[in-house]
Amino acid sequence: MKFRARVTRRAFLELFIHLCSTLAKLAKLVVLRVCPDGLYFGSAGLRAVPEARVWCEVRREAFSQFRMEGASEEHDEIYLELTSGHLARALRSAGGASSVKLQLTNKRRPCLTVAAELALRTGHTRMVVHDLPVRVLPCRAWAECPQPPRLPSPDVSVHLPPLRTLRSIVERMANLSQHVLLEASRRGRMHLSIDTSAVSIRSSFENLGHPPRVQQDGAEDGDPEGMAQVRVDNRRLLHFFEAQQMNPTTALCNIRSDALLHLVLLNDDVSLEYFIPAA
């Protein structure tokens, strides 16, 4: 198995640093799946446990160099288990680098080596190298690893309001109630509310917009005025907003009524998805 990738675009390097920093706050232990078409990160752990999960994708085209050889011709992939905080810290130290290289190495044990080329005031450069311990997962364990999410169509999908505004609202609500109810319609309306014996609070947003929802025959589906709703743990939702550092170009909220809240952050080269089960 071999893997080597290089980042030289400053804009993408900053985005990749923000993505990995966000990931580190959402999942301590992750599985990095290296494929011919890019990198995929997923929360490690038992999938049967009803907890919040994260999934990230990074397109191969974002890298100036990308080479990999999988476990075999039949299984052309690599699965690595690693501590996300180690990767985030290594990349943060490369913030001003002219290039960063990621490579699977063997330093008495398997490592993901992060090598950053930093420019000095003298005109010279120096290399800063981090060897991050990883566990190479054998093919027999791949079935238990995080996989690309295959979700049924959401009942409602809308664009999120400004994330800073949402974070402020959820922070206040989290101090008053363990759970928050999210409701949304395809007309671009969203409500966040809590209801306790002491207080009831509701925040509303209008005209948020939504991605098109189309049936196979090309006709729009569903009642645009109908509201989908899901009640989730307030701390999990606040955790997502506190961790977010990506400044996405698109942010979506997908609701599967009384089952799942699916939050999606999109940029040109990366995406991050967060799944919070209904409480």
Side-chain angles (χ1 to χ4, degrees), residues 156-167 170 182-185 188-192 205-211 237 240-241 244 248-255 261-266 272-274:
V156 166
S157 178
V158 297
H159 292 285
L160 282 170
L163 299 184
R164 288 186 179 181
T165 301
L166 281 176
R167 173 177 172 173
V170 175
L182 283 89
E183 302 171 278
S185 78
R189 294 159 49 218
M190 175 184 284
H191 309 306
L192 289 84
F205 299 90
E206 303 285 343
N207 303 316
L208 295 176
H210 62 88
L237 185 57
F240 171 78
F241 291 121
Q244 200 287 119
T249 56
T250 303
L252 298 174
C253 169
N254 300 321
I255 295 178
L261 176 63
H262 175 210
L263 301 170
V264 184
L265 305 181
L266 300 173
L272 183 145
E273 302 176 61
Y274 197 56

Side-chain angles (χ1 to χ4, degrees), residues 170-185:
V170 175
E171 278 180 340
R172 291 196 294 269
M173 289 184 170
N175 291 327
L176 299 170
S177 175
Q178 181 179 353
H179 299 110
V180 59
L181 179 68
L182 283 89
E183 302 171 278
S185 78

Side-chain angles (χ1 to χ4, degrees), residues 56-71:
C56 303
E57 300 186 6
V58 185
R59 297 171 58 242
R60 173 184 181 140
E61 289 76 13
F63 298 92
S64 57
Q65 181 186 77
F66 190 99
R67 296 179 182 176
M68 63 85 60
E69 294 180 15

Side-chain angles (χ1 to χ4, degrees), residues 57-219:
E57 300 186 6
V58 185
R59 297 171 58 242
R60 173 184 181 140
E61 289 76 13
F63 298 92
S64 57
Q65 181 186 77
F66 190 99
R67 296 179 182 176
M68 63 85 60
E69 294 180 15
S72 66
E73 291 186 5
E74 181 181 0
H75 301 98
D76 193 18
E77 298 177 334
I78 303 171
Y79 283 75
L80 307 173
E81 188 178 77
L82 70 151
T83 301
S84 58
H86 294 170
L87 178 59
R89 284 193 292 271
L91 288 171
R92 280 198 296 269
S93 70
S98 57
S99 72
V100 173
K101 182 175 70 174
L102 306 175
Q103 185 173 1
L104 180 61
T105 59
N106 190 350
K107 304 289 181 72
R108 296 186 178 178
R109 61 166 298 174
C111 291
L112 179 64
T113 296
V114 180
E117 185 176 357
L118 299 172
L120 301 177
R121 292 182 179 180
T122 60
H124 297 85
T125 61
R126 68 184 178 97
M127 297 295 295
V128 177
V129 179
H130 300 265
D131 294 319
L132 314 180
V134 298
R135 185 163 73 97
V136 179
L137 302 178
C139 296
R140 63 180 180 275
W142 291 4
E144 299 302 318
C145 293
Q147 299 296 325
R150 295 181 176 87
L151 300 174
S153 298
D155 295 315
V156 166
S157 178
V158 297
H159 292 285
L160 282 170
L163 299 184
R164 288 186 179 181
T165 301
L166 281 176
R167 173 177 172 173
S168 177
I169 292 171
V170 175
E171 278 180 340
R172 291 196 294 269
M173 289 184 170
N175 291 327
L176 299 170
S177 175
Q178 181 179 353
H179 299 110
V180 59
L181 179 68
L182 283 89
E183 302 171 278
S185 78
R186 287 179 43 243
R187 288 291 190 195
R189 294 159 49 218
M190 175 184 284
H191 309 306
L192 289 84
S193 60
I194 61 172
D195 190 2
T196 71
S197 58
V199 64
S200 295
I201 299 177
R202 175 167 163 162
S203 295
S204 299
F205 299 90
E206 303 285 343
N207 303 316
L208 295 176
H210 62 88
R213 176 175 175 173
V214 180
Q215 288 182 320
Q216 290 184 354
D217 60 6

Side-chain angles (χ1 to χ4, degrees), residues 4-32:
R4 175 183 292 183
R6 185 182 296 274
V7 180
T8 56
R9 283 195 294 125
R10 177 63 61 85
F12 173 67
L13 176 56
E14 292 179 357
L15 176 60
F16 191 50
I17 292 171
H18 292 321
L19 172 71
C20 291
S21 296
T22 301
L23 178 64
K25 294 184 178 183
L26 295 176
K28 180 178 180 180
L29 192 66
V30 299
V31 173
L32 168 58

